[in-house]
Amino acid sequence: MNEPMNELRRDPLSGNWIIIGERIGGKRPFQYEKCPFCPGQEDQTPPPIYTRTDNGSWLVRVVPDRFPVLQIEGDLNKYGVDMYDRMDGIGAHEIIIESPDHKATLGTLSVRNIAFLLETWQQRILDLKKDKRFSYILVFRNQGPGTGVFTAHPYSQVVATPFIPTVVKPNLKSMKRYFELKERCILCDSIAQVRRSGDRIIAQTKNFISIAPFASQSMYETMILPLCHSYEFECDNTWERLEELARLLKRVVGAIESLMLENPSHTLVIHTSPNLDSDNDTEGQWKTLKQDFHWFIRIMPHPNPMSGFERGTGISTNIMSPEKATLLLREKLATIPIDID
Ligand SMILES: [Zn+2]
Ligand SMILES: [Zn+2]
């Protein structure tokens, strides 16, 4: 595949990096007769980077994306073009096939399978963070129609970027600013606050909590966080904790899925710390990151496609308060066994 490499250009107004390339966006020349992620179709994907097997057959497989938005080989080649900044589209783009079961969702996968999936996400983040070209490793998954998925088969994506992605940057800045002001972690404080008021706690386990954010952007938006301060999702990796987190994730997403049967589409994003070993941190901006950053998982249902108002203004509109969403989610969770497999 000697396709031309995508290019990264920085928008001087927003400061955000944009990926520009003609083959981005659905130009997938491979028309599969069968789902390429199903068992028996393994030769339809590039050779796996990582495979997690259980009882002799694979449970989770990681393969490079056939049409990556960023490619792994090469140097960043940063340079200015007059007043502008650009670099080569270097990065990593991997697909995580989450289960052999084509019809599974995050709410129906077994706890064991989800724990393997969490472990796989962690392994890929740890591995990609060894590459000093990468500033950030973003793990996300889309589920349901209208989210850009090209098969119903459950899969997630890992993208390693030589810059901090737009979705992460404001959080990092707020956490840093709050710490500078108070010398405390903003999310540790938020957890303490929500535990005092109690009105936005969706579920709680020994080590994790699931809450509705104070200003949730969409119906049933949910955050899952470790109760104790921890800045790296990928290092929270004892099997006991992975199983506990998997069970909580399954129950919470299962509750969201059954409340939104009409349109179950949602996006899940892992927010973990940037790559502290990256060569790109020239400003030394992450000096207090271990204290100020707290990892979390964000689940954002999107029952309606982004309206013109939201696109034009960047202002989200949400028809259900997080307090009401919490009550409905708790009610639904009461019907799902706490020790579900
Ligand atoms: Zn499939
Ligand atoms: Zn914290």
Side-chain angles (χ1 to χ4, degrees):
M1 272 201 309
N2 282 323
E3 303 252 9
M5 193 189 296
N6 295 330
E7 185 184 345
L8 290 164
R9 294 188 182 188
R10 179 151 48 194
D11 173 15
L13 284 177
S14 66
N16 294 330
W17 287 94
I18 315 292
I19 305 174
I20 296 178
E22 288 196 358
R23 52 194 195 100
I24 299 170
K27 204 175 134 200
R28 291 179 178 272
F30 290 80
Q31 290 300 320
Y32 299 102
E33 265 180 35
K34 288 182 180 148
C35 167
F37 297 164
C38 272
Q41 301 300 309
E42 287 82 357
D43 59 350
Q44 297 295 309
T45 56
I49 297 166
Y50 179 89
T51 307
R52 191 68 168 88
T53 52
D54 192 32
N55 291 327
S57 46
W58 67 265
L59 210 52
V60 182
R61 287 176 85 227
V62 184
V63 295
D65 193 299
R66 258 194 204 281
F67 308 101
V69 291
L70 295 169
Q71 74 167 52
I72 195 97
E73 306 92 7
D75 295 320
L76 293 174
N77 293 324
K78 288 185 184 183
Y79 60 86
V81 183
D82 298 327
M83 63 174 280
Y84 301 111
D85 302 320
R86 54 87 59 211
M87 58 180 152
D88 284 348
I90 299 297
H93 189 181
E94 301 175 355
I95 300 286
I96 299 182
I97 305 161
E98 300 177 339
S99 161
D101 181 358
H102 184 84
K103 291 207 176 86
T105 67
L106 205 50
T108 66
L109 279 179
S110 70
V111 169
R112 188 170 169 77
N113 198 151
I114 298 173
F116 280 138
L117 174 61
L118 292 169
E119 190 189 58
T120 305
W121 287 343
Q122 294 181 333
Q123 287 304 317
R124 294 316 303 142
I125 296 171
L126 286 168
D127 191 38
L128 288 163
K129 275 191 171 177
K130 287 180 199 153
D131 193 323
K132 292 183 191 304
R133 295 173 303 168
F134 302 151
S135 297
Y136 200 83
I137 321 297
L138 191 70
V139 174
F140 66 99
R141 75 188 294 284
N142 289 319
Q143 184 176 304
T147 59
V149 291
F150 70 96
T151 168
H153 200 115
Y155 73 97
S156 37
Q157 300 180 58
V158 182
V159 178
T161 52
F163 54 88
I164 304 287
T166 315
V167 68
V168 184
K169 226 194 283 181
N171 295 328
L172 285 168
K173 283 191 175 157
S174 306
M175 290 180 182
K176 193 177 167 200
R177 210 178 307 128
Y178 190 89
F179 187 84
E180 274 165 12
L181 213 61
K182 311 209 183 217
E183 293 183 24
R184 295 194 305 268
C185 159
I186 192 171
L187 287 181
C188 282
D189 276 11
S190 300
I191 292 169
Q193 172 88 37
V194 81
R195 286 174 104 183
R196 274 195 296 277
S197 66
D199 55 353
R200 285 180 290 109
I201 300 180
I202 295 162
Q204 208 178 160
T205 62
K206 189 173 148 219
N207 296 299
F208 301 97
I209 189 166
S210 168
I211 63 172
F214 175 71
S216 54
Q217 285 181 38
S218 69
M219 209 173 175
Y220 303 122
E221 181 182 338
T222 300
M223 280 168 87
I224 296 180
L225 319 90
L227 284 166
C228 291
H229 186 78
S230 165
Y231 69 99
E232 281 180 316
F233 160 75
E234 60 275 19
C235 293
D236 211 330
N237 53 9
T238 64
W239 184 250
E240 207 186 350
R241 279 175 76 100
L242 284 175
E243 270 195 320
E244 183 186 333
L245 181 59
R247 188 165 284 116
L248 178 63
L249 193 58
K250 177 185 165 92
R251 293 184 72 240
V252 168
V253 174
I256 295 173
E257 283 174 0
S258 57
L259 283 167
M260 297 186 55
L261 285 176
E262 306 268 292
N263 189 345
S265 302
H266 67 255
T267 297
L268 177 151
V269 182
I270 304 283
H271 288 260
T272 187
S273 103
N275 186 4
L276 295 178
D277 296 326
S278 161
D279 286 338
N280 304 322
D281 183 22
T282 45
E283 295 154 50
Q285 52 193 325
W286 313 133
K287 268 187 297 232
T288 60
L289 192 128
K290 290 181 185 175
Q291 294 108 299
D292 71 47
F293 187 83
H294 194 120
W295 75 257
F296 62 97
I297 298 175
R298 188 171 185 203
I299 303 146
M300 290 235 290
H302 27 109
N304 302 308
M306 212 187 200
S307 69
F309 179 79
E310 289 186 47
R311 259 183 219 284
T313 60
I315 303 169
S316 304
T317 50
N318 178 359
I319 56 164
M320 188 189 284
S321 74
E323 291 78 14
K324 184 173 176 197
T326 303
L327 290 178
L328 293 171
L329 281 167
R330 275 192 210 154
E331 226 169 76
K332 190 54 81 177
L333 274 163
T335 66
I336 306 174
I338 289 193
D339 56 353
I340 193 168
D341 293 327

